Amino acid sequence: MANPNIPTPHITAKEGDFARTVLMPGDPLRSKFIAETYLENPVLVNNTRGVQGYTGTYKGKRVSVMASGMGMPSMGIYSYELFNYYDVQNIIRVGTAGGIGDNVKVRDVVFGMSAYTNSNFGRQYGFDGNVAPCCSFPLLEQAVAAARKMGSEPNVGERYYTDIFYDEAGGAGKLKKLGVLATEMEAAALYLNAARAGKKALAICTISDHLFTGEALSAEARQTTFTQMMEIALEIA
Ligand code: HPA
């Protein structure tokens, strides 16, 4: 019987259009770039609201890539629908993050193990305390192994997921004291949706700017420094 939840309010792909693993950059144009650069025979399976999603193959493996948009509400919607309605098993976020720790610099790849957040996304589960979004250990283990095979020792650790890019409170100093490596705006919602759906998620990000050193990549350099992150994500897809 056809799945009554498909198409969803935000995705018009057909049942079976997505692979088991979906890579999720924030930007729809990066989704197109990844599909055209890395996938063989990419087919556009979603373009609702310009949120481009493609399915193709990488080294013979079926893989999808679709944008998440920016922020946890947007990531929350797309990852929920992919996990719960399209039967996607793994979502790997591939994006940029702002560096916080002294031990990370621009261009480094950082794997987000656990997620500090100022978002209320986890309140929906009614847990009387703070839920703790965390990545999938099997995906993290595979990603670490893939990075080492490529000759680099990855940065793995805490990241901070914020709802506020232009944050007047400027809390990054407090986070640095707690050992947080980097900040971005999507994966806490992704990790919680994965936990609730019994699926797997991991965020692999490249540091595009550093909150304390002021170092930043140009828009052009952002495009070209993603190779390592992409190769790790595709290897474990
Ligand atoms: N803050 C939040 N998200 C980000 C940043 C940042 O400085 N850089 C890249 N993603």
Side-chain angles (χ1 to χ4, degrees):
M1 203 182 79
N3 185 333
N5 294 310
I6 293 177
T8 71
H10 311 96
I11 304 175
T12 43
K14 296 188 298 303
E15 196 166 2
D17 273 354
F18 288 104
R20 282 173 57 84
T21 300
V22 179
L23 309 186
M24 293 197 95
D27 178 355
L29 290 179
R30 183 151 303 130
S31 173
K32 182 172 194 278
F33 175 81
I34 292 169
E36 289 173 353
T37 308
Y38 295 100
L39 300 187
E40 282 145 32
N41 306 315
V43 174
L44 183 72
V45 295
N46 184 61
N47 202 9
T48 306
R49 292 178 181 240
V51 171
Q52 303 185 36
Y54 297 84
T55 297
T57 56
Y58 176 78
K59 294 186 182 171
K61 228 172 11 188
R62 199 163 173 258
V63 181
S64 298
V65 54
M66 188 172 89
S68 67
M70 281 189 285
M72 286 180 264
S74 186
M75 169 58 95
I77 289 170
Y78 293 113
S79 58
Y80 187 96
E81 293 180 2
L82 290 172
F83 280 142
N84 294 294
Y85 302 147
Y86 284 96
D87 204 26
V88 165
Q89 301 300 311
N90 311 304
I91 294 181
I92 303 170
R93 165 161 159 72
V94 282
T96 58
I100 289 182
D102 290 331
N103 47 345
V104 298
K105 51 190 191 313
V106 160
R107 291 195 169 79
D108 280 358
V109 175
V110 177
F111 300 162
M113 187 164 63
S114 61
Y116 291 54
T117 184
N118 61 0
S119 155
N120 269 335
F121 197 90
R123 288 283 171 91
Q124 63 180 304
Y125 306 116
F127 182 73
D128 194 15
N130 296 316
V131 290
C134 186
C135 75
S136 146
F137 179 70
L139 285 183
L140 178 62
E141 196 178 30
Q142 287 171 51
V144 169
R148 285 185 180 149
K149 214 167 142 193
M150 289 169 200
S152 71
E153 187 56 33
N155 296 290
V156 182
E158 286 73 44
R159 293 216 309 227
Y160 173 59
Y161 297 90
T162 180
D163 279 338
I164 310 163
F165 187 90
Y166 298 105
D167 188 352
E168 293 202 1
K174 290 183 197 160
L175 296 165
K176 191 174 175 174
K177 280 194 210 157
L178 290 168
V180 171
L181 299 177
T183 178
E184 46 117 342
M185 304 184 72
E186 287 82 23
L190 170 64
Y191 289 1
L192 288 169
N193 273 343
R196 178 70 185 91
K199 305 285 176 86
K200 297 193 182 88
L202 176 66
I204 305 177
C205 289
T206 304
I207 302 296
S208 59
D209 52 282
H210 198 290
L211 274 62
F212 290 93
T213 65
E215 219 190 339
L217 289 178
S218 67
E220 199 185 1
R222 282 183 185 218
Q223 190 86 312
T224 51
T225 49
F226 291 132
T227 317
Q228 193 193 6
M229 168 178 76
M230 283 314 309
E231 286 176 358
I232 295 167
L234 286 160
E235 215 44 57
I236 68 168

